Amino acid sequence: MPRRRGCLPPLVCTLAALSLPLLLAAEPRAKSCSEVRRLYAAKGFSQSEAPSHEISGDHLKVCSQAYTCCSQEMEEKYSQQSKHDFRNAVVELSNHLQTMFSSRYKKFDEFFKELLENAEKSLNDMFVRTYGRLYMQNSELFKDLFVELKRYYVGGNVNLEEMLNEFWARLLERMFRLVNPQYHFTDEYLECVSKYTEQLKPFGDVPRKLKLQVTRAFVAARTFAQGLAVARDVVSKVSAVNPTPQGTRALLKMMYCPHCRGLVSVKPCYNYCFNVMRGCLANQGDLDTEWNTFMDSMLLVAERLEGPFNIESVMDPIDVKISDAIMNMQENSMQVSQKVFQGCGQPKTLAQGRTARSVSESGFSARFRPYNPEERPTTAAGTSLDRLVTDVKEKLKQAKKFWSSLPGNICNDEKMSVGTVNENECWNGSAKSRYDFAVTGNGLASQVNNPEVEVDITKPDMVIRRQIMALRVMTNKLKNAYSGNDVDFIDISEESSGEESGSGCEFQQCSPEFEFNATEVTGNSNKSDKKANTSAATSSGLSQAALFLSILFLAMQRQWR
């Protein structure tokens, strides 16, 4: 019987039917990418960009080109996301430090300014009650003193030594007229009198002590506050990271390439993360040495503020100290006058009638009533310098080594979720396995052998280099302030400063006591030609002198605080 066309032998058909399931089983099935799609959408991206099953990875530029769950769009967006995650990690760790410096600067600045306001108010209130009309006629002299002190603190070009010398010279001119009301003095004669301020010491040792105390205290206070502001600004600028293209590749490879392999729960190996972060933060690591030296200098000046350079202990009793100087002048007025007459010549005597009328017009009766401690105005937020310094010292200690610790702190952050439990079950950059490379050192130069990030060590970050220079300049100023030497003001509005200054004496060689020694500020010895116009009423000459003498006994009871 003839066979029909197209019909295979029964045995062949049977074998074909039996082998078909085996052939289908041998063909690989594409893995599902459902979990990758879910996490990708959770980042805010379109789920339609993610394949439902693995596809060929030929289109990928950084992640593995084997079968993958990432499209080209996914890899590009993951690259941007890795930069965003890295920047956020740096900013979050830096924000706490920046906020700390910002808040402490604001607190110190508020405290110092209010301290000056309170000291001026205290002096004004006490002198009005004590000297009455006589003080009010000459109050601009004392007002000018506080104007200059405030101007110095906020950064004005004020030479503290010259300014204080000028104050005492002007006060001597006013006082000399009051203790010699029977004479007429021309402006030229009073200028001659002021030249004898240092030689005759009419105010005793008060000007010398107060000049040393005020200078050291103000230099330390202003420099310390500026140091807090510089630290705040350095953290702000340095923490604004912008990874290089090579750094971005390394971040993508570490953070999101495991997702493309479907390993969404596998975390980067710790040492692998450390190398990536050391490479991306290479320039920040170079900041560490200068930063630590700066922190040490801030701590040393803080100790000065707690001790001999305490501006609160200088300014709080400044009214009493100036009053003591006035009393010294009254006690020694005859000797001082005689020596001045010898050097400047005998002045002309006023008419007898004018002097007699002045005596008959006197009717002053004053009571010297100092503040009780509870009446003293409180300073900023009712706090004290000691409490402020104690608090900030702890923060300064914690801030040391911040930049060298930053890579490790980022890898330890919960959001990074670095694998540290089983070093064989973490992502090593290519697979779920052990990471075998050693951790590179800190800083730019050490990255020459970084196995994860290609770093050009010949091109340092210029923003960070400027911050290193700013820290170096500020550190030198802190060293000078520690020694009691005046320093130039730093304009913190500038991004950097190229000015240089001497380092002053070595820390361990500086005397901690208020003694007149080599660490005292030495300024321009030329005195200013500026002289105040005399406004004391000459018609009440002897009455004014009697006013000062009448309070001598009571004021002598006031002790230096």
Side-chain angles (χ1 to χ4, degrees):
M1 180 177 179
R3 188 180 298 174
R4 286 182 296 179
R5 180 179 296 180
C7 182
L8 295 174
L11 180 61
V12 174
C13 291
T14 301
L15 291 173
L18 293 173
S19 63
L20 181 60
L22 296 175
L23 291 172
L24 292 174
E27 183 179 335
R29 291 182 179 179
K31 293 181 180 179
S32 172
C33 296
S34 59
E35 186 63 12
V36 176
R37 282 166 58 88
R38 184 184 69 80
L39 294 175
Y40 183 72
K43 292 286 184 182
F45 304 129
S46 174
Q47 198 174 52
S48 63
E49 296 171 350
S52 59
H53 292 79
E54 285 185 334
I55 58 176
S56 172
D58 294 341
H59 55 276
L60 300 181
K61 297 179 181 179
V62 177
C63 298
S64 171
Q65 293 185 333
Y67 279 95
T68 181
C69 285
C70 287
S71 63
Q72 183 177 350
E73 294 84 357
M74 288 177 68
E75 187 183 47
E76 291 172 355
K77 290 185 178 179
Y78 272 148
S79 178
Q80 294 301 315
Q81 186 65 39
S82 64
K83 289 173 64 175
H84 175 77
D85 293 348
F86 171 66
R87 286 169 175 164
N88 279 355
V90 175
V91 168
E92 285 183 14
L93 288 170
S94 302
N95 266 353
H96 176 71
L97 190 65
Q98 183 181 345
T99 301
M100 183 277 291
F101 282 119
S102 181
S103 63
R104 269 45 177 201
Y105 168 74
K106 183 178 179 181
K107 196 69 175 177
F108 269 88
D109 186 59
E110 178 186 18
F111 177 85
F112 290 142
K113 288 177 179 176
E114 192 163 338
L115 183 67
L116 287 174
E117 292 290 341
N118 290 342
E120 182 176 13
K121 183 180 184 301
S122 175
L123 183 143
N124 184 73
D125 292 349
M126 190 187 91
F127 277 31
V128 165
R129 288 197 315 272
T130 304
Y131 303 115
R133 180 167 172 264
L134 177 61
Y135 164 71
M136 290 186 283
Q137 290 173 335
N138 297 275
S139 61
E140 84 282 351
L141 174 64
F142 302 92
K143 186 178 293 185
D144 289 347
L145 171 65
F146 282 95
V147 166
E148 291 300 292
L149 289 174
K150 293 173 187 176
R151 194 162 70 89
Y152 173 83
Y153 173 72
V154 299
N157 185 22
V158 178
N159 184 304
L160 284 175
E161 182 178 4
E162 288 184 358
M163 184 271 291
L164 290 170
N165 287 342
E166 177 71 11
F167 167 75
W168 293 113
R170 291 175 64 191
L171 183 59
L172 176 60
E173 292 178 11
R174 307 290 179 93
M175 288 290 299
F176 196 75
R177 275 182 166 171
L178 296 175
V179 298
N180 294 284
Q182 68 274 32
Y183 296 110
H184 170 70
F185 299 105
T186 63
D187 290 342
E188 291 76 13
Y189 194 95
L190 291 174
E191 186 173 351
C192 177
V193 172
S194 67
K195 295 178 181 177
Y196 284 85
T197 307
E198 289 290 333
Q199 178 183 343
L200 299 178
K201 299 189 185 306
F203 300 109
D205 206 31
V206 174
R208 184 190 71 83
K209 286 183 178 180
L210 194 60
K211 179 172 66 177
L212 185 59
Q213 293 169 353
V214 166
T215 299
R216 289 182 164 185
F218 269 77
V219 168
R222 186 177 79 166
T223 308
F224 190 78
Q226 279 296 301
L228 293 172
V230 167
R232 173 200 65 197
D233 294 346
V234 167
V235 174
S236 175
K237 291 180 175 68
V238 175
S239 61
V241 292
N242 186 29
T244 63
Q246 294 80 7
T248 302
R249 287 175 60 90
L251 291 168
L252 168 62
K253 185 179 177 183
M254 181 184 78
M255 294 180 180
Y256 291 107
C257 282
H259 287 222
C260 296
R261 297 285 298 275
L263 303 174
V264 294
S265 61
V266 179
K267 307 305 177 185
C269 300
Y270 184 78
N271 285 356
Y272 173 42
C273 176
F274 221 127
N275 275 337
V276 172
M277 293 302 156
R278 281 268 173 92
C280 292
L281 296 169
N283 285 280
Q284 282 78 1
D286 280 347
L287 195 74
D288 204 55
T289 299
E290 206 63 53
W291 176 264
N292 293 337
T293 303
F294 169 64
M295 288 294 108
D296 287 336
S297 300
M298 287 287 289
L299 284 166
L300 286 166
V301 174
E303 291 177 2
R304 289 296 210 205
L305 289 174
E306 288 180 312
F309 295 4
N310 189 316
I311 191 173
E312 191 172 20
S313 65
V314 173
M315 293 309 298
D316 192 44
I318 195 170
D319 49 3
V320 182
K321 295 180 180 181
I322 294 175
S323 183
D324 285 345
I326 292 172
M327 290 188 292
N328 284 327
M329 172 61 184
Q330 290 173 327
E331 289 178 331
N332 302 306
S333 61
M334 291 185 63
Q335 299 94 314
V336 170
S337 297
Q338 288 302 317
K339 291 181 179 179
V340 169
F341 294 160
Q342 292 175 7
C344 298
Q346 191 71 21
K348 294 181 180 180
T349 306
L350 289 173
Q352 185 65 31
R354 293 179 61 187
T355 304
R357 284 195 300 271
S358 297
V359 173
S360 66
E361 292 168 0
S362 67
F364 174 76
S365 177
R367 301 289 296 177
F368 184 88
R369 189 184 73 84
Y371 276 122
N372 291 323
E374 60 271 14
E375 293 177 327
R376 278 272 176 193
T378 56
T379 51
T383 187
S384 70
L385 184 61
D386 288 340
R387 285 196 290 270
L388 289 174
V389 172
T390 299
D391 168 69
V392 81
K393 279 172 64 177
E394 289 304 312
K395 305 299 182 184
L396 291 170
K397 292 173 184 177
Q398 295 170 11
K400 289 187 67 175
K401 298 185 178 179
F402 175 81
W403 302 107
S404 59
S405 303
L406 188 57
N409 289 336
I410 293 176
C411 290
N412 286 324
D413 189 79
E414 291 182 1
K415 295 180 181 179
M416 294 299 298
S417 300
V418 173
T420 57
V421 178
N422 189 340
E423 60 184 13
N424 293 314
E425 297 292 323
C426 54
W427 174 253
N428 66 5
S430 58
K432 178 182 176 182
S433 184
R434 181 186 183 89
Y435 184 75
D436 295 322
F437 292 103
V439 176
T440 59
N442 194 47
L444 185 63
S446 299
Q447 305 314 306
V448 65
N449 295 318
N450 191 311
E452 306 303 334
V453 187
E454 183 181 344
V455 180
D456 187 348
I457 64 172
T458 66
K459 295 181 179 179
D461 187 312
M462 295 313 297
V463 171
I464 293 180
R465 296 296 139 175
R466 285 194 290 270
Q467 300 316 304
I468 291 174
M469 180 58 67
L471 288 174
R472 191 169 296 156
V473 170
M474 190 68 232
T475 297
N476 283 334
K477 294 180 182 297
L478 287 163
K479 290 179 180 180
N480 276 302
Y482 178 88
S483 309
N485 296 328
D486 203 355
V487 292
D488 294 331
F489 180 76
I490 293 181
D491 184 356
I492 60 174
S493 64
E494 295 295 330
E495 183 178 25
S496 64
S497 174
E499 62 201 38
E500 297 291 336
S501 64
S503 61
C505 70
E506 295 298 325
F507 290 161
Q508 65 271 22
Q509 296 175 349
C510 299
S511 170
E513 302 300 329
F514 277 131
E515 297 297 337
F516 187 81
N517 55 28
T519 63
E520 182 178 356
V521 177
T522 54
N524 189 339
S525 60
N526 295 327
K527 294 182 178 179
S528 172
D529 293 333
K530 175 186 176 183
K531 296 297 173 184
N533 294 326
T534 304
S535 62
T538 57
S539 62
S540 57
L542 287 178
S543 174
Q544 294 166 339
L547 181 151
F548 272 89
L549 294 172
S550 67
I551 65 162
L552 177 59
F553 175 75
L554 290 170
M556 287 293 289
Q557 297 177 18
R558 186 77 181 271
Q559 298 297 317
W560 286 69
R561 293 188 209 125

